[in-house]
């Protein structure tokens, strides 16, 4: 069985204990992941600190080149990494799956390499010259989830390196293998210690967030854990970027053209079998088009193949782990008992793997957990509305604020509704689209700060003012 190791200070480091990582489609063991200890974490932080002493003095051109190297390495190894990702995460190789995720890794790294944070002259007068410089923060601690493990790792690592920082990353214990291998490959092409990885249990994440030598934490995961990270980071007043859970609403207006919009609506909700922070997770549909929207989604969704990720026919995969699988089953069963009407799917698939079929639930209401909570699975609750103001109030009336969307035909009305929706991103006639040049982040409990673009890059720096008398 293939064993994977941690990368610390440019070298592969073995652990005393290894854990089997299983394919959620079949239950077969994919590989063995090292269970890192606090001693490994200390070694990794020391290695990153040592590397920072040099890397902080690197030129802008050297930092840009390092990010281009990361882009090249992930692109050259995309085939191997996509295969490993598909096996441990469950997402199919094809469709919006593992190959798509690796394509995103290369694209994000390459684009982020081109970003600049030049010195800004704030005042240049006969009396003084005031400049604003961007300085690296130091050793960045990165903590990642299991849904898009490699892309999110790249989102954390590349802007850190681009701005002169070094990194210690801790992947999710559910999906560590792809990250361990990707960092091994990246690290071999960069100065030692720039990027280090320590796999292991949740307590490694907690210790990383608390550690006095970690200058910043970038965390992507659940709201619950995000709050723990914030409190662990409080004693050392670390800056944080938190990308947390979402429960994105979509509002469908009476003039929607489903013949054009069923495809983006379906994939906006079902991408990665719904295991996507910024997926459409509750759909408010006007009474006049309710049945037509439900029919269109069912007709489209019933044709989408779900199954083992290695089969190129499949474009949807299983839930990644048993905990998530049980959660989705519970939420749907409870909704059914409360009067939700199953239009498609609605019970777990028989056979091996954590497969839950594409499920559309009609007659859902606010107050049902399937509507109020983040389901993180291939299930979309559909809520009927007659009063647009009430639908907007329901869409906004939660702790979440990642994305939202509005669907219809009249540009003025779409823009007016978009303006009233409370979210970091509001989409019109689409959902769940991200790009490396567009800042992305949640408001309310969905997050703190943004990633991507110049604004995302700036979050890995501190401002230093040089104020000179002339
Ligand atoms: P999670 O919060 O359970 O785990 C995320 C990471 O935190 C894992 O690496 C885990 O080991 C670590 N961790 C656990 N306890 C910790 C602690 N006390 N201190 C520090 N680290 C700790 O999340 P998950 O189940 O892996 O991922 C799913 C969640 O992530 C969903 O809520 C989803 O919406 C969210 N997510 C958000 C975004 C975004 O950009 N907003 C992107 C992807 C996923």
């Amino acid at each position: 069985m293939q064993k994977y190791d941690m990368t610390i200070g440019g070298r592969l480091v073995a652990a005393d204990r290894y854990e089997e990582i299983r394919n959620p489609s079949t239950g077969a063991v994919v590989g063995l992941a090292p269970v890192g200890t606090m001693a490994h974490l200390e070694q990794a932080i020391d290695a990153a600190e040592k590397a920072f002493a040099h890397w902080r003095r690197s030129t802008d051109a050297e930092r840009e080149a390092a990010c281009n190297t990361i882009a090249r390495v992930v692109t050259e190894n995309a085939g191997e990494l996509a295969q490993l990702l598909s096996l441990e995460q469950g997402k199919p190789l094809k469709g919006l799956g593992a190959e798509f995720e690796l394509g995103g890794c290369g694209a994000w790294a390459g684009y982020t390499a081109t970003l600049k944070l030049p010195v800004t002259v704030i005042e240049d007068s006969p009396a003084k010259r005031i400049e604003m410089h961007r300085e690296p923060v130091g050793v960045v601690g990165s903590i990642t989830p299991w849904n898009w493990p490699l892309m999110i790792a790249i989102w954390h690592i590349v802007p850190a390196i681009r701005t002169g920082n070094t990194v210690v990353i801790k992947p999710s214990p559910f999906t560590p293998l792809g990250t361990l291998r990707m960092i091994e490959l990246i690290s071999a092409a960069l100065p030692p210690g720039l990027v280090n990885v320590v796999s292991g249990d949740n307590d490694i994440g907690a210790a990383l967030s608390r550690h006095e030598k970690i200058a910043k934490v970038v965390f992507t995961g659940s709201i619950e854990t995000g709050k723990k990270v914030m409190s662990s980071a409080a004693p050392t007043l670390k800056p944080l970027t938190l990308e947390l859970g979402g429960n994105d609403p979509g509002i469908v207006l009476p003039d929607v053209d489903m013949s054009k919009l069923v495809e983006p609506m379906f994939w906006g909700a079902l991408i990665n079998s719904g295991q996507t922070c910024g997926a459409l997770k509750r759909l408010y549909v006007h009474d006049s088009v309710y049945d037509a929207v439900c029919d269109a989604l069912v007709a489209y969704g019933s044709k989408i193949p779900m199954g083992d990720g290695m089969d190129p026919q499949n474009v949807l995969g299983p839930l990644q782990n048993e905990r998530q699988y049980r959660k989705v089953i519970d939420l749907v069963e409870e909704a059914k008992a409360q009067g939700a009407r199953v239009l498609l799917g609605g019970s777990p698939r028989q056979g091996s793997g954590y497969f839950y079929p594409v499920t559309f639930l009609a007659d859902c209401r606010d107050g049902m957990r399937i509507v109020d909570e983040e389901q993180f699975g291939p299930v979309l609750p559909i809520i009927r509305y007659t009063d647009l103001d009430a639908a907007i109030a329901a869409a906004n009336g939660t702790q979440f604020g990642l994305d939202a969307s509005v669907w219809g035909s009249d540009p003025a009305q779409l823009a007016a509704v978009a303006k009233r929706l409370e979210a970091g991103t509001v989409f019109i006639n689409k959902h769940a689209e991200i790009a490396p040049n567009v800042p992305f982040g949640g408001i309310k409990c969905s997050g703190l700060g943004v990633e991507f673009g110049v604004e995302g890059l700036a979050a890995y720096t501190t401002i230093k003012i040089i104020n000179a008398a002339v």
Side-chain angles (χ1 to χ4, degrees):
M1 182 48 56
Q2 170 94 37
K3 242 175 162 186
Y4 294 81
D5 282 317
M6 297 177 279
T7 300
I8 298 178
R11 293 202 330 269
L12 282 175
V13 173
D16 292 339
R17 198 157 68 79
Y18 285 76
E19 230 166 45
E20 291 178 343
I21 301 298
R22 290 177 183 274
N23 181 337
S25 292
T26 62
V29 178
V30 178
L32 298 176
V35 182
T37 60
M38 293 303 158
H40 292 121
L41 181 64
E42 291 298 335
Q43 272 178 41
I45 293 173
D46 285 348
E49 196 186 29
K50 211 167 136 205
F52 179 63
H54 303 286
W55 192 243
R56 70 183 308 171
R57 291 196 292 272
S58 55
T59 64
D60 191 65
E62 286 167 334
R63 296 173 187 179
E64 183 176 346
C67 296
N68 280 323
T69 298
I70 296 175
R72 177 180 56 73
V73 169
V74 293
T75 305
E76 283 173 2
N77 294 281
E80 178 199 337
L81 291 170
Q83 176 106 359
L84 185 54
L85 171 63
S86 177
L87 289 171
E88 75 167 340
Q89 207 284 335
K91 63 179 65 189
L93 270 178
K94 301 296 173 190
L96 300 172
E99 290 176 355
F100 170 78
E101 180 165 345
L102 264 297
C105 292
W108 250 268
Y111 179 80
T112 307
T114 69
L115 291 175
K116 304 259 180 224
L117 285 173
V119 173
T120 322
V121 178
I122 293 174
E123 185 175 334
D124 193 9
S125 64
K128 57 182 110 161
R129 180 177 167 91
I130 305 177
E131 295 173 351
M132 184 172 79
H133 296 241
R134 292 279 179 176
E135 299 282 317
V137 292
V139 180
V140 172
S142 148
I143 303 172
T144 53
W146 47 259
N147 58 342
W148 294 89
L150 297 190
M151 191 133 88
I152 291 172
I154 288 290
W155 293 350
H156 291 185
I157 292 166
V158 178
I161 298 299
R162 182 68 188 86
T163 42
N165 304 283
T166 58
V167 180
V168 175
I169 181 168
K170 191 213 81 72
S172 167
F174 291 110
T175 53
L177 302 181
T179 307
L180 289 161
R181 179 69 180 137
M182 184 171 78
I183 302 303
E184 179 186 347
L185 291 163
I186 287 174
S187 178
L190 294 178
L194 249 55
V195 186
N196 308 273
V197 55
V198 179
S199 50
D201 299 331
N202 294 342
D203 56 355
I204 299 282
L208 188 69
S209 324
R210 208 181 302 122
H211 204 287
E212 58 182 9
K213 291 185 180 170
I214 294 289
K216 172 198 169 80
V217 174
V218 50
F219 170 84
T220 303
S222 62
I223 292 176
E224 196 189 357
T225 312
K227 289 179 181 173
K228 290 185 191 159
V229 168
M230 193 173 208
S231 90
S232 310
T236 47
L237 292 177
K238 289 184 214 322
L240 298 171
T241 300
L242 301 177
E243 296 289 359
L244 308 179
N247 190 11
D248 294 4
I251 295 192
V252 183
L253 301 174
D255 61 354
V256 69
D257 179 354
M258 285 305 280
S259 66
K260 284 199 197 124
L261 296 181
V262 67
E263 184 171 345
M265 192 179 284
F266 178 86
W267 288 109
L270 272 291
I271 181 169
N272 203 27
S273 289
Q275 300 165 108
T276 298
C277 53
L280 178 55
K281 294 189 177 128
R282 47 193 172 119
L283 192 65
Y284 293 85
V285 181
H286 191 265
D287 181 49
S288 61
V289 285
Y290 193 81
D291 292 338
V293 170
C294 289
D295 291 349
L297 284 169
V298 169
Y300 189 92
S302 54
K303 293 197 209 99
I304 304 298
M306 175 186 279
D308 189 310
M310 287 295 121
D311 180 342
Q313 302 276 342
N314 293 327
V315 290
L316 288 176
L319 275 312
Q320 201 281 327
N321 55 70
E322 188 178 359
R323 186 186 68 181
Q324 196 56 38
Y325 177 68
R326 300 269 162 232
K327 180 177 175 187
V328 169
I329 294 173
D330 283 356
L331 287 174
V332 175
E333 290 308 313
E334 191 178 303
K336 287 187 324 199
Q338 292 171 339
R341 185 161 47 96
V342 176
L343 301 174
L344 186 67
S347 7
R349 206 166 93 172
Q350 299 306 310
S352 68
Y354 301 129
F355 287 102
Y356 200 93
V358 172
T359 295
F360 293 115
L361 295 178
D363 302 344
C364 290
R365 298 179 305 278
D366 291 289
M368 288 179 170
R369 285 205 301 139
I370 191 74
V371 178
D372 294 355
E373 294 181 14
E374 182 185 36
Q375 67 275 44
F376 224 57
V379 178
L380 184 65
I382 310 175
I383 307 119
R384 190 188 299 267
Y385 77 86
T386 47
D387 175 22
L388 180 58
D389 289 339
I392 293 173
N396 290 339
T398 74
Q399 65 165 335
F400 301 96
L402 195 53
D403 309 321
S405 57
V406 54
W407 306 75
S409 297
D410 173 18
Q413 201 191 6
L414 288 165
V417 175
K419 201 165 163 49
R420 293 174 63 192
L421 288 170
E422 294 167 4
T425 302
V426 179
F427 296 104
I428 295 179
N429 290 337
K430 56 182 167 177
H431 204 109
E433 180 187 286
I434 47 168
N437 58 340
V438 183
F440 168 71
I443 60 168
K444 302 191 213 168
C445 286
S446 286
L448 193 66
V450 293
E451 296 187 279
F452 318 154
V454 173
E455 290 81 358
L457 196 66
Y460 289 82
T461 65
T462 53
I463 287 175
K464 179 174 180 181
I465 299 294
I466 307 242
N467 187 339
V470 176

